[in-house]
Amino acid sequence: MAVIEINHPLIQHKLTHLRNKDTDTKSFRENLTEISKLMTYEVTKNLVLEEIEVETPLMKTIGYTLGKNIAVVPILRAGIGMVDGLVSLIPNAKIGHIGVYRDEETLQPVYYYCKLPVDIDKKQVILVDPMLATGGSAIYAIDYLKNAGVKDIVFMCLVAAPEGIAKVLQTHPDVSIYTAKIDQGLDKNGYIYPGLGDCGDRIFGTK
C-alpha cells in the first residue's frame, strides 16, 4: 500500500507543541486530540460510503453515509489519547482495544489485553498508536486483527521511524501507514528521535 506523511501546516504547528519538553499534560492531551482530528480527514478519504435517499426542502435526492462499518482500535495505552479526535468526526465508530507493551530489554512486543467489537471482521479498522518505533507493537496488533478476520486496516500514528515503517510494510504490505511526521530514526534504546518522549507518560502524567 502506501506511506502518507501529512504535512499540513496546522498539524506541524501542533506537533511542535507536543515535541516541546515543557508542554504540560493538559496542553499535550489537547494538541494530541486536535492533531488526531485533523489527520482523520486524510485517513478516511477512502472509506466506503453507502448511498441513501434524503429529502431537501425542495426535492428528494441521493446522499451518502458512512454507515456503521468503521472501528477505531487504539494500541494501549498511548493510543487512547488519539481516540477522541477520531470519534468526534466518526461518532458511530465502534471502539476496540489491544494492549501491547514493549519489553525494554528485548524491544519485543508483550501482549496483555484485547477487547474487540463482536463484528470486527466486517469493519474497516483504523488502528492508532502515537509512535511507530521498531514496529513490533504495530505488527503484533495487525496480526491480531487479521487473525480475527479483519481485511481492511489502516495504521495511523503521529511520528514514525523509517525502521518501523520498513518492518510494517515488509510484514503487512496491504496496510497503509498515515503519519504526521517521519522522524530521523531510532537511537540505541529503540526510541524515536527527535521524537516527543514517552507519549503514554505525557498523556497520563505518569512521569
Side-chain angles (χ1 to χ4, degrees):
M1 296 294 275
V3 179
I4 299 93
E5 186 179 36
I6 308 173
N7 285 311
H8 192 284
L10 288 176
I11 291 176
Q12 298 309 317
H13 169 75
K14 294 177 184 300
L15 181 60
T16 299
H17 286 292
L18 294 188
R19 291 196 192 275
N20 189 338
K21 65 181 179 64
D22 294 323
T23 297
D24 62 24
T25 301
K26 177 178 181 293
S27 296
F28 192 91
R29 290 174 183 163
E30 290 173 347
N31 279 279
L32 177 58
T33 295
E34 290 169 359
I35 292 173
S36 301
K37 186 173 183 177
L38 291 166
M39 290 183 69
T40 300
Y41 180 81
E42 183 71 19
V43 171
T44 57
K45 69 179 183 181
N46 294 318
L47 289 180
V48 177
L49 292 170
E50 297 176 10
E51 191 174 280
I52 60 171
E53 184 180 84
V54 63
E55 187 169 356
T56 77
L58 299 179
M59 60 179 288
K60 290 182 178 180
T61 188
I62 298 300
Y64 302 91
T65 179
L66 289 174
K68 298 181 180 179
N69 294 319
I70 302 163
V72 176
V73 178
I75 298 176
L76 303 180
R77 65 180 169 148
I80 291 175
M82 301 176 70
V83 172
D84 285 351
L86 281 97
V87 298
S88 66
L89 295 180
I90 318 172
N92 287 327
K94 297 289 181 67
I95 300 173
H97 299 88
I98 296 178
V100 184
Y101 69 88
R102 184 174 70 175
D103 186 289
E104 295 302 326
E105 293 185 3
T106 66
L107 303 184
Q108 296 302 306
V110 179
Y111 167 86
Y112 65 93
Y113 179 79
C114 183
K115 183 70 173 179
L116 299 173
V118 293
D119 55 350
I120 192 71
D121 58 315
K122 299 178 177 64
K123 296 188 178 297
Q124 297 171 280
V125 172
I126 304 172
L127 179 67
V128 298
D129 194 358
M131 316 289 282
L132 174 56
T134 63
S137 295
I139 291 169
Y140 187 99
I142 295 168
D143 284 341
Y144 199 107
L145 290 169
K146 287 186 174 181
N147 288 334
V150 180
K151 298 177 178 63
D152 189 347
I153 304 168
V154 297
F155 180 72
M156 173 178 164
C157 61
L158 293 188
V159 294
E163 298 93 327
I165 291 172
K167 286 186 178 179
V168 172
L169 292 182
Q170 181 181 19
T171 310
H172 295 290
D174 58 324
V175 175
S176 291
I177 299 171
Y178 291 81
T179 184
K181 190 67 176 178
I182 300 174
D183 270 2
Q184 295 178 39
L186 300 175
D187 66 14
K188 63 181 181 180
N189 297 312
Y191 294 118
I192 301 174
Y193 68 89
L196 44 83
D198 187 307
C199 202
D201 284 334
R202 298 191 71 187
I203 292 168
F204 299 107
T206 47
K207 271 191 182 177

